[in-house]
């Protein structure tokens, strides 16, 4: 159990490592490059969110870093969902979740 915890902490501290691990494993399995890139982005986003919230807590001596990041993600989901509703007349939950998750990778 301690090995799993230490490896998760290491991957959280250096979130670029999971990106390359997932990408190169997919390349080794000879999958589509675009799908590998998107899957690597999706996996890395979790580590990025956790590490950014931890850094926020350390930098500002706060304890709400994760909740602040979660609030920003939820607000962006509301804005994108509202735009989808105005343009298409309905909200596609799967596309909304995927868009917000991948945009949070870049932010």
């Amino acid at each position: 159990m301690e090995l799993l915890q230490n490896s998760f902490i290491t991957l959280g501290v250096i979130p670029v490592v999971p990106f390359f691990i997932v990408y190169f494993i997919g390349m080794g399995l000879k999958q589509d490059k675009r799908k590998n890139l998107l899957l690597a982005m999706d996996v890395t986003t979790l580590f990025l969110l956790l590490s950014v919230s931890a850094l926020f807590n350390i930098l500002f001596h706060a304890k709400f870093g994760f909740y602040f990041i979660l609030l920003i993600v939820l607000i962006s989901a509301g804005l994108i969902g509202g735009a989808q509703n105005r343009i298409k007349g309905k909200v596609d939950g799967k596309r909304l979740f995927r868009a917000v998750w991948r945009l949070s990778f870049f932010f």
Side-chain angles (χ1 to χ4, degrees), residues 55-94:
L55 287 173
F56 181 88
N57 288 341
I58 291 169
L59 187 63
F60 295 110
H61 303 290
K63 295 186 181 191
F64 62 90
F66 177 73
Y67 299 112
F68 182 69
I69 301 293
L70 184 63
L71 178 67
I72 291 172
V73 168
L74 289 174
I75 288 172
S76 64
L79 292 173
I80 293 172
Q84 257 188 6
N85 191 27
R86 278 193 304 272
I87 293 171
K88 296 185 179 183
K90 64 177 182 171
V91 176
D92 185 8
K94 184 178 177 182

Side-chain angles (χ1 to χ4, degrees), residues 6-107:
N6 288 338
S7 63
F8 189 76
I9 289 170
T10 303
L11 292 175
V13 170
I14 309 168
V16 175
V17 173
F19 179 84
F20 287 119
I21 289 172
V22 171
Y23 184 75
F24 288 123
I25 286 175
M27 292 302 288
L29 297 174
K30 299 188 190 293
Q31 293 179 353
D32 184 28
K33 288 183 183 181
R34 184 174 189 275
K35 285 184 181 180
N36 287 335
L37 181 67
L38 294 177
L39 179 63
M41 283 174 48
D42 290 341
V43 170
T44 306
T45 301
L46 175 65
F47 292 105
L48 286 171
L49 290 176
L50 292 175
S51 63
V52 167
S53 66
L55 287 173
F56 181 88
N57 288 341
I58 291 169
L59 187 63
F60 295 110
H61 303 290
K63 295 186 181 191
F64 62 90
F66 177 73
Y67 299 112
F68 182 69
I69 301 293
L70 184 63
L71 178 67
I72 291 172
V73 168
L74 289 174
I75 288 172
S76 64
L79 292 173
I80 293 172
Q84 257 188 6
N85 191 27
R86 278 193 304 272
I87 293 171
K88 296 185 179 183
K90 64 177 182 171
V91 176
D92 185 8
K94 184 178 177 182
R95 291 188 70 186
L96 174 66
F97 178 76
R98 198 174 353 164
V100 170
W101 191 252
R102 291 196 178 141
L103 280 175
S104 63
F105 174 81
F106 290 111
F107 290 137

